[in-house]
Amino acid sequence: MSFDSILIANRGEIALRINRAAKSLGLKVIQAYSKADADSLPVRLADEAVEIGPPQASKSYLAIPNIIEAAKATGAGAVHPGYGFLAENAAFAQAVEAEGIAFVGPTPDTIAMMGDKVKARRAAAMAGVPVVPGSEGRIEGLEEARAAAAAIGFPLLIKASAGGGGRGIRIVREDADFVQQLSTAQGEAKAAFGDGGVYLEAFIEKARHVEVQILGDGKDAIHAFERECSLQRRRQKVWEEAPSPSLDPATRAELCESAVRLARHVGYRGAGTLEYLYDEQRRAFYFIEMNTRIQVEHPVSEMVTGLDLVALMIEIAQGKPLPITQAEVKLSGHAIECRINAEDPARNFMPAPGLISSLVVPGGEGVRFDSHLFEGYMVPPFYDSLLGKLIVHGASRDEALARIEAALSGLEVQGVPTTRPLHQALVRDPDVRAGRFDTNFLEHWLETHAATLGAQPGSK
């Protein structure tokens, strides 16, 4: 679908990232914003801005009628949802397309199918992609759940069918706890997603989280290699890098080819990510879910491939075919991203909104800072605490580690505490430097290192 303007239905750093990509394609940028973001950088740098409601996300960035009305009122030819909020909401994509406006992302049917983890597992299995051993689908009753648990064995995971962001997941280590944990997980899933459906998976004790970036035009698909995202706190990623230090070339090729196979199987359109657990000892990978949107950590894939993933997904939404072949996508060097949040690691990562009194951003070869910050900006208390992403690229992992260490030293955010001390400690850690970590590493690491992260200027 041809269009010459795009409404950004998001905020913060991803809104600016979409702004840059859209303008590079010659498009008019229309920024949707809540009252809390009226003075934000995305609003200032847009060609046009339109208010969509009060600060509460439920009444603005999550209010489908408000955004549809804003798109119609401004004559937007397309809507880009970014990540979070309505990015993976099939009803929103359907509402956008029903107005004859292009949705920058997959079709509503694809979002609905891949957003349901049970259906996504089935699609993966049909495409010949390995999945973690588990129940055939949703668990419909206690007897079925007991039978499935017995077949899988302990430890196992209970996961929400409609889950995401690490919510609705319970680890059960022994049969005696199973019934209670099942009831708790169903309750959490119902509260978080409005859907109490759950399914079971085997729990891989020392797994690594590796994911593959793909692009599809609805007919063909390619990959932009993988990202390693094992450093997580409470199942939220804090550090990402590409390529994964745990994969050998043959495993990398097999993993990435499996992701393309699944993307082609579902006729995927736009940018997406297939998430896997990787068992390093067995050199085996298992598909766990697909994110049908651009992700926070997409810059590390851009740094090692030279692709502009956001611009490409906009061009695909315009109906253009993939402009590159798989053979043209080359892996070059190593990239690392650190998420800088307005949180105080010395106070159990307490969110810390407030005024940015001073800001110094590092630069130089291979350094990128994706952020919406400026001096005098008031970090609002209503949204995610992400302030920005510090990304570096080097010829090797060692060079990237040196660059991220220097870039972290050069980054100064005054006025609110940030997670910078966490990253400075991680980059000096011998296990992190050697690439020896799994998805449980950071939680254990914090048990002994949290007290050393120290209070920061701006801490309250």
Side-chain angles (χ1 to χ4, degrees):
M1 179 185 296
S2 176
F3 53 82
D4 58 11
S5 62
I6 187 166
L7 182 136
I8 301 172
N10 213 302
R11 62 178 304 280
E13 67 87 19
I14 191 61
L16 281 183
R17 175 70 188 87
I18 299 166
N19 179 309
R20 287 197 297 272
K23 287 187 175 177
S24 75
L25 298 172
L27 301 178
K28 175 185 175 182
V29 170
I30 305 162
Q31 179 63 50
Y33 67 95
S34 73
K35 283 184 182 297
D37 287 329
D39 294 326
S40 68
L41 208 51
V43 170
R44 294 184 188 184
L45 297 182
D47 298 305
E48 184 177 349
V50 55
E51 186 181 307
I52 54 172
Q56 296 89 342
S58 62
K59 298 178 180 178
S60 52
Y61 296 108
L62 289 170
I64 293 177
N66 298 23
I67 297 172
I68 296 297
E69 186 56 37
K72 291 167 60 179
T74 56
V79 171
H80 197 309
Y83 54 68
F85 294 131
L86 296 170
E88 294 179 281
N89 187 307
F92 177 57
Q94 181 67 52
V96 170
E97 294 192 343
E99 296 294 339
I101 300 170
F103 181 75
V104 185
T107 64
D109 287 345
T110 303
I111 294 173
M113 176 173 64
M114 301 310 283
D116 184 312
K117 293 183 180 180
V118 172
K119 292 180 180 177
R121 277 172 57 91
R122 287 176 180 156
M126 291 179 67
V129 178
V131 298
V132 180
S135 57
E136 288 296 319
R138 286 172 175 246
I139 297 299
E140 299 298 343
L142 182 57
E143 291 309 310
E144 183 183 344
R146 283 186 177 281
I152 296 167
F154 293 91
L156 58 77
L157 290 173
I158 305 172
K159 303 177 74 172
S161 284
R167 293 178 295 174
I169 297 178
R170 311 292 292 188
I171 299 173
V172 187
R173 296 191 176 277
E174 53 188 48
D175 184 47
D177 296 333
F178 179 68
V179 175
Q180 180 184 349
Q181 295 282 24
L182 177 66
S183 176
T184 301
Q186 289 171 323
E188 286 181 354
K190 180 68 175 177
F193 311 110
D195 179 350
V198 298
Y199 65 103
L200 309 184
E201 275 185 359
F203 177 59
I204 300 171
E205 193 77 45
K206 289 188 175 296
R208 299 181 74 121
H209 180 122
V210 180
E211 59 188 32
V212 180
Q213 175 70 57
I214 61 97
L215 279 168
D217 60 13
K219 296 180 180 177
D220 197 9
I222 59 172
H223 68 78
F225 299 97
E226 86 285 358
R227 298 185 285 259
E228 167 89 41
C229 308
S230 296
L231 289 174
Q232 303 178 6
R233 175 181 175 270
R234 295 183 177 177
R235 302 188 186 281
Q236 297 293 317
K237 303 163 188 169
V238 302
W239 163 304
E240 300 98 347
E241 56 184 287
S244 166
S246 64
L247 298 186
D248 59 65
T251 305
R252 171 171 298 116
E254 188 180 353
L255 173 75
C256 293
E257 286 167 9
S258 79
V260 169
R261 201 160 59 241
L262 179 51
R264 287 175 177 157
H265 177 74
V266 300
Y268 195 81
R269 183 187 76 189
T273 298
L274 288 88
E275 297 193 342
Y276 295 81
L277 291 180
Y278 179 58
D279 186 332
E280 196 168 9
Q281 290 186 329
R282 295 183 174 86
R283 294 188 179 277
F285 57 82
Y286 306 97
F287 169 80
I288 49 175
E289 65 178 87
M290 183 174 195
N291 297 134
T292 55
R293 54 175 165 78
I294 195 72
Q295 285 194 289
V296 175
E297 59 268 34
H298 75 274
V300 292
S301 297
E302 294 186 326
M303 296 289 256
V304 296
T305 61
L307 300 177
D308 185 331
L309 294 170
V310 180
L312 284 167
M313 67 189 300
I314 293 173
E315 291 185 304
I316 289 168
Q318 290 177 316
K320 299 177 182 177
L322 285 170
I324 46 176
T325 66
Q326 189 64 67
E328 293 172 311
V329 183
K330 304 296 185 185
L331 181 62
S332 175
H334 199 95
I336 297 173
E337 173 182 290
C338 293
R339 299 190 189 196
I340 308 298
N341 287 15
E343 298 173 358
D344 192 343
R347 297 171 185 249
N348 197 29
F349 295 87
M350 180 185 296
L355 180 70
I356 303 298
S357 57
S358 177
L359 176 67
V360 178
V361 176
E365 183 180 356
V367 180
R368 169 175 165 181
F369 186 53
D370 282 16
S371 175
H372 57 295
L373 292 187
F374 58 88
E375 291 184 0
Y377 175 67
M378 179 65 75
V379 180
F382 309 104
Y383 312 113
D384 186 272
S385 61
L386 182 67
L387 298 179
K389 305 173 312 196
L390 187 58
I391 311 117
V392 300
H393 179 261
S396 65
R397 187 169 188 266
D398 285 343
E399 186 171 292
L401 284 166
R403 283 190 173 165
I404 195 70
E405 187 169 16
L408 285 164
S409 296
L411 176 66
E412 294 183 17
V413 181
Q414 298 291 335
V416 299
T418 74
T419 50
R420 187 184 72 149
L422 166 69
H423 294 297
Q424 289 181 304
L426 285 175
V427 78
R428 293 192 294 264
D429 185 272
D431 286 323
V432 173
R433 296 192 74 87
R436 292 190 300 262
F437 46 78
D438 56 43
T439 54
N440 297 313
F441 175 90
L442 184 53
E443 296 285 1
H444 296 313
W445 185 91
L446 285 169
E447 291 174 2
T448 54
H449 292 77
T452 68
L453 299 178
Q456 306 169 65
S459 294
K460 299 174 182 175

